[in-house]
Amino acid sequence: MAGLTCFYPDVYLDSTYEIDFEALYREGFRGVIFDIDNTLVPHGAPADARSIALFERLKNIGFESVLLSNNKEPRVKMFNDKVHSRYIYKAGKPGKKGYLHAMELMKTEPSTTLFVGDQLFTDVWGAKRAGILTYLVKPIHPKEEIQIVLKRRLEWIVLFFYRRSLKKQDAHGGKNRWK
C-alpha cells in the first residue's frame, strides 16, 4: 500500500483546538494555513467564539495565517469577517497553487508552514504536494454534502492503512503521531 502514503497526514488529531501552536512556534513554524468547514467550525457555520479565540491566540503567539478554501468568496468572507485572517477562496485544492500563494501572503516557506484540515484527498494531499507539514483533524460535525460523504468512505480505507503503518512503526521503535 505504498501508493497511499501520499495521503497520510504527518499528524492526526481529534481537533484543531488541541494543537500546541506555542510549541510549533518554538520549533520555528511561522505560518498556518487552515481549511474552514469541519476543521474550524461545522460545515457552513460562521466563526464561533472558539475559532475567534484561536485566531487571536495565533496572532498573540506571532503566527501568520491564511484560510484556504475551495468554497466561493461569500462563504469564506463570512467566516473571515470574525477571525480577521487572510483568505483564498476557490483555492483549487488539492492543487499546489493555493498553498504556494498562501505562503507568499504569509512570507513563509514550506519548512516554516503547517496546514490544518479535515480531508485527506484535498487538504492533506495538496499540502503534502506543496511540502508543508500536515495536520489532519477529525471532522467537527457528521452532516456533510453527499460528495464529501462519498470521499469519507474512501478516506476510511486510507486511514486504516495509515493506522496500521503507525502500529508497525511503534513495534519497531518509531514515533506514533496518531492520537
Side-chain angles (χ1 to χ4, degrees):
M1 286 291 146
L4 294 179
T5 59
C6 67
F7 301 113
Y8 291 1
D10 295 304
V11 182
Y12 184 27
L13 299 172
D14 287 336
S15 169
T16 300
Y17 299 98
E18 66 183 63
I19 298 172
D20 187 347
F21 289 104
E22 290 80 2
L24 289 164
Y25 192 86
R26 288 191 299 273
E27 290 176 27
F29 289 93
R30 296 297 180 263
V32 186
I33 304 170
F34 288 100
D35 175 55
I36 300 171
D37 287 324
N38 261 339
T39 297
L40 294 165
V41 293
H43 187 82
D48 57 13
R50 185 168 69 159
S51 58
I52 293 166
L54 173 63
F55 280 83
E56 189 62 37
R57 177 177 151 215
L58 291 169
K59 287 174 192 154
N60 290 336
I61 294 168
F63 272 108
E64 296 291 326
S65 66
V66 171
L67 302 169
L68 186 69
S69 177
N70 284 347
N71 276 303
K72 294 177 182 169
E73 187 173 22
R75 188 316 178 232
V76 179
K77 185 179 182 316
M78 174 193 55
F79 182 87
N80 189 59
D81 283 347
K82 300 282 186 183
V83 300
H84 309 291
S85 181
R86 293 185 194 95
Y87 65 88
I88 299 169
Y89 61 95
K90 292 171 98 175
K93 295 183 289 182
K96 291 180 0 180
K97 186 178 176 183
Y99 298 88
L100 298 175
H101 184 209
M103 287 187 283
E104 281 177 30
L105 292 173
M106 297 185 297
K107 298 178 178 44
T108 61
E109 300 292 325
S111 63
T112 61
T113 305
L114 61 114
F115 179 85
V116 183
D118 69 299
Q119 292 188 54
L120 289 176
F121 302 129
T122 50
D123 298 333
V124 170
W125 188 33
K128 287 184 74 110
R129 293 173 67 214
I132 300 168
L133 181 72
T134 59
Y135 276 72
L136 177 69
V137 295
K138 293 179 182 174
I140 290 175
H141 194 275
K143 187 175 187 295
E144 296 180 299
E145 296 172 344
I146 188 65
Q147 70 272 16
I148 296 173
V149 171
L150 296 173
K151 280 195 271 183
R152 293 281 185 216
R153 304 253 187 245
L154 295 172
E155 285 182 353
W156 292 341
I157 296 165
V158 175
L159 289 171
F160 169 82
F161 288 105
Y162 169 71
R163 290 180 183 117
R164 194 165 85 176
S165 76
L166 292 177
K167 287 178 184 174
K168 286 180 184 175
Q169 284 177 12
D170 282 350
H172 294 65
K175 186 177 180 183
N176 186 339
R177 294 184 184 167
W178 178 62
K179 298 188 179 183

